[in-house]
Amino acid sequence: MSEQTQQTKPGVVIVGAGMAGVQTAVALREQGFTGPVTLLGAEPHQPYDRPPLSKAVLLGKAEEAAFDVAFDVDFEELRIDLRLGTEVTGVRPAAHELDTPAGPVPYEVLVLATGAEPLTLPGSGGVPGVHLLRTLDDAARLRPVLAAAHDLVVVGAGWIGAEFATAARGAGCAVTVVEAADRVLAGALPAEVAAPMARWYAEAGATLITGAAVAGIEEGLVRLADGRELAAGAVVVGIGARPATGWLDGTGIERGPDGSITADAYLRTSVPGVYAVGDCSSFPSARYGARLLVHHWDNALQGPRAVAANIVAGEPVQAYDPVPYFWSEQFGRFVQYAGHHGGADTLLWRGSPDDATWSVCWLREGALVAVLAVGRPRDLAQGRRLIESAVPVDPDRVADPDVPLKSATA
């Protein structure tokens, strides 16, 4: 595309200055877009990476200041108009304008990258000592709590609950984790795969209570539905997140029952000229034959490249159909997952869950579709490539932990 043609491209406004928003802005420049790019962030901090919040920031290995976890991006050099502390309250597609407290912001192409917001426990709002962990400010408020080695109650035994419990035990806190479901990671993994992970809590010195709903929280106390009461110097709620899309009510931008923006294969929304990327949107996966909502870092890193390519071309040229990937560090273990096991017809173990390292592979119609690796990064890397290639594999070789996955093709 010639420089003259590119100069006539409309300006792009991106709502959300997290990973997906920042990477969209950067990808536009990397792919040759020379028109105006405006990035609107609701927080006052320089855009920053979120994974360190539950690790380095909480444990004092990074400072509270945003620059210690900020993205290494020179917005001025890239001619990205970064506007911090700018909350977008509405969008009027017919007028091509966004509403903000400072006044309307016009756009010609709009990218929605507003991420997700944590779910809260009913009745816990405003109760002293109750915390969420989503933002840099959340992590800053929790650091002195961990430093004081309070007795902590963590509500939720999902990924974020396990990561926070890990950090709290590392800080010397007494930790009780309460989960309403009958097992850990109930919404993420099958029972047989999650079962060995439940043992990690006790090994780390944390108390795990499953099948226990929280009936109420007051300062210093968590009351369970079965009548038990847990003393709590502080409470951290980690029961999941939902797409931050409530502000789109009445805009005509289609959303699913889970609140996610219903993007197409090119990450376009139902409104022309409006894209959606990252935690706030779902996309149809031809690879898996399902619509996926992926609340993980890698999705916010990869999706923006497709959005930028389609904006630069002015037409749909790059579909988005990744092999989803995420990782979690918990209780001294590095856990990685690639793929999507929904619809799989075969589950195979590589190694014993009683060992320090092991993996689980899921097959569908003879091909690998997902892999979970605990301390076996080579399984993850090789498995991810097999998933991408969709080649048939030999189940017996897949199940042999001594056979490299790359050698397990049929």
Side-chain angles (χ1 to χ4, degrees), residues 117-133 153-157 176-181 212-218 221-225 230 232 234-242:
E117 55 193 5
L119 296 172
T120 59
L121 278 174
S124 65
V127 176
V130 176
H131 301 265
L132 299 171
L133 180 55
V153 172
V154 180
V155 182
T176 299
V177 181
V178 178
E179 170 58 50
V214 174
I217 298 178
E218 57 190 71
L221 186 71
V222 175
R223 186 176 299 104
L224 304 183
L230 307 175
V235 179
V236 177
V237 178
I239 56 175
R242 60 174 172 239

Side-chain angles (χ1 to χ4, degrees), residues 46 66 166 193 254 263 354:
Q46 285 290 312
T166 299
V193 177
E254 182 181 342
D354 293 328

Side-chain angles (χ1 to χ4, degrees), residues 31 57-58 77 79 91 115 127 170 184 221 245 260 286 292 343 392 403:
Q31 297 184 34
V57 174
L58 279 180
E77 182 179 353
R79 294 179 294 108
V91 56
V127 176
V184 303
L221 186 71
T245 59
S260 65
L292 302 182
V403 173

Side-chain angles (χ1 to χ4, degrees), residues 240-308:
R242 60 174 172 239
T245 59
W247 64 283
L248 294 174
D249 290 348
T251 63
I253 295 175
E254 182 181 342
R255 288 173 290 164
D258 55 12
S260 65
I261 300 167
T262 307
D264 68 6
Y266 301 95
L267 300 181
R268 300 174 299 182
T269 74
S270 59
V271 172
V274 181
Y275 293 80
V277 66
D279 292 3
C280 68
S281 70
S282 63
F283 57 90
S285 171
R287 184 190 310 275
Y288 291 106
R291 176 167 287 277
L292 302 182
L293 173 62
V294 181
H295 281 183
H296 294 296
W297 186 90
D298 193 64
N299 179 51
L301 176 66
Q302 304 295 339
R305 297 169 186 168
V307 169

Side-chain angles (χ1 to χ4, degrees), residues 2-407:
S2 70
E3 177 75 5
Q4 182 177 5
T5 302
Q6 184 62 73
Q7 290 282 13
T8 65
K9 284 289 182 182
V12 178
V13 175
I14 304 163
V15 182
M19 170 64 82
V22 169
Q23 290 301 319
T24 299
V26 171
L28 283 167
R29 292 301 187 220
E30 289 179 342
Q31 297 184 34
F33 185 79
T34 59
V37 175
T38 301
L39 181 61
L40 307 178
E43 293 186 55
H45 308 292
Q46 285 290 312
Y48 59 88
D49 204 7
R50 293 190 188 277
L53 298 185
S54 60
K55 307 171 183 71
V57 174
L58 279 180
L59 294 177
K61 297 176 183 178
E63 294 301 318
E64 295 176 11
F67 58 77
D68 276 7
V69 289
F71 296 121
D72 186 17
V73 175
D74 190 328
F75 295 99
E76 185 174 353
E77 182 179 353
L78 291 174
R79 294 179 294 108
I80 297 169
D81 180 11
L82 175 62
R83 304 183 190 178
L84 301 174
T86 303
E87 182 179 2
V88 179
T89 57
V91 56
R92 288 172 284 114
H96 276 229
E97 284 187 339
L98 295 166
D99 294 322
T100 76
V105 176
Y107 69 86
E108 293 190 62
V109 176
L110 176 62
V111 180
L112 303 176
T114 50
E117 55 193 5
L119 296 172
T120 59
L121 278 174
S124 65
V127 176
V130 176
H131 301 265
L132 299 171
L133 180 55
R134 184 69 182 180
T135 69
L136 187 65
D137 290 337
D138 292 337
R141 283 188 288 267
L142 276 165
R143 277 185 66 174
V145 173
L146 266 62
H150 283 294
D151 290 352
L152 298 180
V153 172
V154 180
V155 182
W159 299 114
I160 190 65
E163 290 190 357
F164 182 82
T166 299
R169 287 297 300 137
C173 300
V175 179
T176 299
V177 181
V178 178
E179 170 58 50
D182 62 356
R183 55 191 171 88
V184 303
L185 294 166
L189 295 174
E192 62 184 298
V193 177
M197 296 178 171
R199 297 195 291 268
W200 300 349
Y201 288 77
E203 292 172 6
T207 299
L208 173 65
I209 302 174
T210 58
V214 174
I217 298 178
E218 57 190 71
E219 186 172 5
L221 186 71
V222 175
R223 186 176 299 104
L224 304 183
D226 61 11
R228 281 180 287 178
E229 294 183 343
L230 307 175
V235 179
V236 177
V237 178
I239 56 175
R242 60 174 172 239
T245 59
W247 64 283
L248 294 174
D249 290 348
T251 63
I253 295 175
E254 182 181 342
R255 288 173 290 164
D258 55 12
S260 65
I261 300 167
T262 307
D264 68 6
Y266 301 95
L267 300 181
R268 300 174 299 182
T269 74
S270 59
V271 172
V274 181
Y275 293 80
V277 66
D279 292 3
C280 68
S281 70
S282 63
F283 57 90
S285 171
R287 184 190 310 275
Y288 291 106
R291 176 167 287 277
L292 302 182
L293 173 62
V294 181
H295 281 183
H296 294 296
W297 186 90
D298 193 64
N299 179 51
L301 176 66
Q302 304 295 339
R305 297 169 186 168
V307 169
N310 295 326
I311 291 174
V312 169
E315 59 183 347
V317 295
Q318 185 173 326
Y320 184 61
D321 194 5
V323 173
Y325 167 76
F326 73 90
W327 78 96
S328 177
E329 296 177 86
Q330 49 186 269
F331 307 117
R333 295 166 175 84
F334 186 46
V335 183
Q336 295 172 284
Y337 178 96
H340 175 68
H341 63 268
D345 52 42
T346 303
L347 186 154
L348 300 171
W349 289 86
R350 285 173 60 81
S352 168
D354 293 328
D355 295 337
T357 66
W358 47 272
S359 297
V360 174
C361 294
W362 287 267
L363 311 184
R364 185 182 65 206
E365 298 177 356
L368 187 67
V369 293
V371 58
L372 172 77
V374 177
R376 292 179 66 101
R378 186 171 298 175
D379 279 2
L380 190 288
Q382 295 180 7
R384 192 175 186 180
R385 287 193 287 271
L386 284 177
I387 296 169
E388 290 170 346
S389 67
V391 298
V393 294
D394 181 337
D396 291 335
R397 293 179 67 79
V398 169
D400 186 340
D402 295 324
V403 173
L405 273 179
K406 65 181 181 182
S407 303

